[in-house]
Amino acid sequence: MADGQPNSTVATRLGLSPKTVSNHMSAVLAKLGVSDRAEAAAWAREAGLGPSPES
């Protein structure tokens, strides 16, 4: 997710089905209280996680 990879790529790398990755992504987004990956990335940056946009 942090690299911006689609669910299918994440699933292949982790040996999971794309549906499983999608379900986990939905749970993460819900727990963060955001509606999409872009908002999740912004939330993570504001929390001090991951690289800043200037990097």
Side-chain angles (χ1 to χ4, degrees):
M1 177 181 154
D3 290 339
Q5 299 297 319
N7 288 347
S8 58
T9 302
V10 174
T12 299
R13 291 178 71 182
L14 297 176
L16 301 170
S17 77
K19 181 64 177 165
T20 298
V21 173
S22 179
N23 288 341
H24 285 296
M25 280 299 306
S26 294
V28 168
L29 296 177
K31 287 182 181 190
L32 293 177
V34 298
S35 60
D36 57 32
R37 288 175 188 237
E39 280 189 67
W43 182 95
R45 280 192 302 275
E46 290 172 12
L49 304 171
S52 66
E54 298 84 36
S55 298

